[in-house]
Amino acid sequence: MDRWTGIDEFVAVATLGSFTQAAKQLGTSVAQVSRRVKELEQQLNHQLLTRTTRTLTLTQEGKVFLTHARHLQHAYNDAQLALRQRDQQPSGVLKLTAPVMFGERYIMPLVHDFMRKYPKVSVEMLLSNEQLDIVTMGIDVAIRLGNLKDSSLKARKLSTRNTLVCASPSYIANYGQPYSLNELSAHNCLIGNSRTWRFLDDTRERNISVRGSLICNSGWALLDAACKGLGLVQLPHYYVQTAIEQQKLVEILPKFRPEPEGVWALYPPRQYLPTSLRLLLDHLAELFAHERS
């Protein structure tokens, strides 16, 4: 006798209060239901039902087991549904959000490839640098960068991003370059959303306050200013790597580069993921891993 024998019969009898009604629901005979329940009781070594000619009641052990048996049924049903969905062609609407620049340059091209592969999937993308409430807004997945706050959301790490300090050759020729963190105070720093820059000094994280002649919340504007020799800039690698390759910028203080930050996919907790969402997450993770290999 396997471990599942009698569970469906017992739950049906306990729920309907009748062997006859349980047999009708399960499409079998009363004798079969009775035999399966009896086998289950023997396997558990506990009586689950008290039977008389007129009444049928659950024992205390039966009440305890019924709760867990229903959980088992639900879990099995979810597993079956998840497998059925794997075999289905993904379809429907996926609602996404991502930071503006990162979403434009990295996420959307990958999403477009995904849509070509699965033409029945539609996408609504909201590019925003705000931390949107994805549960309230009905968003399926949010791409977030950096360190995550404690949250009830599920998180899957897709990749990492590096943060670099850079300067143009013309700035270095005019003002020199720092070789230690203490020398930053003598340089003009182009400031974004934070007046502190992150570094890793051996194994210790350090936040250094910086000052400069330009404050702007646009990474592209700071990049342009740095390329034109106005000062040092600290930006994620995807802003500066082309300028470095074209020798418009040079990385400064490379040995103090901070630990890479995560690129995350956040989504609401659920018993199983829809096929389209699961495949999209796999698609993003696979291509990000390929790009960094």
Side-chain angles (χ1 to χ4, degrees):
M1 174 180 150
D2 65 57
R3 295 164 63 184
W4 284 88
T5 297
I7 288 179
D8 288 338
E9 289 81 1
F10 166 69
V11 172
V13 171
T15 302
L16 299 172
S18 164
F19 279 88
T20 301
Q21 293 301 317
K24 289 181 179 179
Q25 183 186 77
L26 298 172
T28 187
S29 66
V30 174
Q32 175 76 348
V33 172
S34 179
R35 181 167 57 253
R36 288 292 183 87
V37 171
K38 188 173 183 179
E39 289 174 351
L40 177 63
E41 290 177 321
Q42 289 173 346
Q43 183 185 23
L44 297 173
N45 198 29
H46 282 288
Q47 184 177 342
L48 304 177
L49 297 166
T50 300
R51 311 164 181 80
T52 68
T53 55
R54 294 187 177 182
T55 61
L56 178 69
T57 58
L58 285 168
T59 64
Q60 288 300 316
E61 292 80 5
K63 292 177 182 178
V64 171
F65 188 76
L66 178 61
T67 299
H68 293 283
R70 283 174 172 158
H71 285 311
L72 288 173
Q73 286 183 320
H74 293 157
Y76 185 76
N77 291 338
D78 285 343
Q80 284 185 312
L81 182 56
L83 289 177
R84 285 200 299 272
Q85 285 203 340
R86 289 182 69 94
D87 297 331
Q88 294 174 353
Q89 178 75 359
S91 60
V93 179
L94 285 175
K95 296 183 179 181
L96 315 176
T97 184
V100 177
M101 183 273 172
F102 192 82
E104 288 175 337
R105 181 163 181 177
Y106 289 95
I107 299 300
M108 287 311 296
L110 300 183
V111 170
H112 297 157
D113 292 338
F114 180 81
M115 294 175 70
R116 290 181 63 189
K117 186 175 182 181
Y118 301 108
K120 293 184 179 180
V121 174
S122 300
V123 171
E124 294 181 11
M125 168 61 88
L126 178 58
L127 294 174
S128 173
N129 293 327
E130 297 181 18
Q131 299 283 305
L132 303 178
D133 186 338
I134 68 174
V135 175
T136 301
M137 298 182 67
I139 295 172
D140 294 298
V141 62
I143 304 300
R144 297 275 168 83
L145 309 176
N147 298 320
L148 297 179
K149 299 178 181 179
D150 291 337
S151 170
S152 61
L153 300 175
K154 295 288 187 180
R156 179 169 177 178
K157 191 173 185 179
L158 302 176
S159 184
T160 57
R161 69 169 182 176
N162 291 305
T163 303
L164 287 65
V165 175
C166 296
S168 69
S170 63
Y171 178 90
I172 294 172
N174 290 330
Y175 303 103
Q177 69 180 81
Y179 292 95
S180 70
L181 299 183
N182 292 334
E183 295 177 66
L184 278 175
S185 60
H187 287 269
N188 190 51
C189 296
L190 310 174
I191 300 170
N193 291 323
S194 174
R195 293 176 181 268
T196 60
W197 288 1
R198 297 187 310 109
F199 295 96
L200 190 65
D201 191 355
D202 289 329
T203 59
R204 182 167 64 98
E205 289 189 4
R206 291 185 60 185
N207 292 319
I208 305 295
S209 296
V210 294
R211 295 179 297 174
S213 60
L214 176 64
I215 300 174
C216 182
N217 64 353
S218 166
W220 291 119
L222 294 174
L223 173 64
D224 183 69
C227 289
K228 291 177 177 175
L230 294 183
L232 308 181
V233 70
Q234 186 179 60
L235 286 170
H237 70 275
Y238 43 82
Y239 279 100
V240 299
Q241 67 183 33
T242 299
I244 291 175
E245 292 168 0
Q246 295 174 349
Q247 299 183 346
K248 295 179 180 180
L249 290 179
V250 176
E251 183 178 3
I252 304 298
L253 302 169
K255 70 176 184 178
F256 297 104
R257 186 189 289 187
E259 288 280 4
E261 296 179 312
V263 177
W264 305 90
L266 270 63
Y267 51 94
R270 53 211 308 176
Q271 289 182 317
Y272 61 90
L273 292 179
T275 300
S276 55
L277 178 54
R278 176 180 56 79
L279 290 175
L280 176 62
L281 294 177
D282 290 344
H283 175 79
L284 294 176
E286 179 183 354
L287 292 185
F288 271 118
H290 177 72
E291 286 184 0
R292 299 189 65 83
S293 62

